[in-house]
Amino acid sequence: IREACSLTDNQFVILHIGGTGPSRNIETVIEALQFMDEKCVFVIQGPGIETFESDYIDLAERFGVAERVYCLPPVERDQVIETAASADCGIVMLKNLCLNFYYFYPNKFFEYMLAGLPVACSNFPEVKAHTEREECGVTFDPSSPESIAESIGVLSENRERARDMGAKGRTSVI
């Protein structure tokens, strides 16, 4: 990811890997970037990116963060964990649109942990309980850009702690 986007080790890579589109709440994360340290960048990688990329970049331009949003094509299923491992955290930010989303345990939640990444996820009951119990990441209100930014700040401002959370997450799923 860093090579594909020409990013430095100093930049904090927030990764969304997976499906794109309105139900994924990517727009709120883009908005949240304006409240984060400038070293934080958001990489969106997955199916449908060719359909939504221009909308994401337009939105990023409106919030003055276009230079910190990167859109990459999807990788093959067997490359997801290896690709994710090059980020600094994985984000899962579904909105409470239905019970399936509210009580979700999406594949990407576990893929990020297998990659050794701390997770930043919606504060819904199941994933919040797992995240707190295993001390493997942070949670936020997915409808609040400020809440997302604050949670990501916990990780980006203390990378050693973030790496420790990622290691705990990996241990919890292997």
Side-chain angles (χ1 to χ4, degrees):
I1 291 173
R2 289 183 189 283
E3 186 177 320
C5 299
S6 300
L7 301 173
T8 67
D9 288 339
N10 186 50
Q11 291 171 294
F12 188 84
V13 178
I14 306 156
L15 176 65
H16 167 82
I17 198 165
T20 57
S23 70
R24 301 301 175 173
N25 203 23
I26 291 168
E27 298 83 358
T28 308
V29 179
I30 292 170
E31 183 177 354
L33 277 174
Q34 67 184 322
F35 303 111
M36 293 182 210
D37 188 284
E38 289 186 9
K39 69 183 172 205
C40 294
V41 299
F42 184 35
V43 175
I44 309 157
Q45 183 170 34
I49 195 64
E50 65 283 350
T51 302
F52 298 102
E53 179 176 9
S54 63
D55 293 335
Y56 295 150
I57 298 302
D58 288 348
L59 183 63
E61 286 174 359
R62 284 201 332 238
F63 289 115
V65 297
E67 71 286 353
R68 296 167 47 207
V69 174
Y70 299 85
C71 298
L72 297 175
V75 296
E76 295 296 323
R77 187 91 183 115
D78 63 349
Q79 297 173 330
V80 168
I81 294 168
E82 179 183 348
T83 300
S86 64
D88 293 300
C89 82
I91 191 163
V92 184
M93 62 285 185
L94 293 175
K95 289 183 181 181
N96 184 10
L97 299 177
C98 62
L99 290 177
N100 184 50
F101 282 10
Y102 189 67
Y103 291 107
F104 76 120
Y105 250 123
N107 290 341
K108 74 173 87 310
F109 181 76
F110 296 103
E111 290 165 343
Y112 294 147
M113 286 190 287
L114 281 170
L117 297 180
V119 292
C121 58
S122 300
N123 59 359
F124 299 159
E126 298 302 321
V127 292
K128 181 178 181 178
H130 185 111
T131 302
E132 289 177 353
R133 180 181 64 248
E134 301 299 332
E135 300 176 356
C136 61
V138 294
T139 62
F140 51 78
D141 174 352
S143 65
S144 168
E146 294 85 358
S147 178
I148 293 168
E150 182 179 332
S151 291
I152 295 295
V154 168
L155 301 174
S156 68
E157 292 167 14
N158 189 336
R159 291 190 182 200
E160 186 175 320
R161 180 176 178 205
R163 283 189 292 275
D164 183 51
M165 288 177 174
K168 288 178 180 181
R170 182 167 167 72
T171 299
S172 80
V173 296
I174 56 172

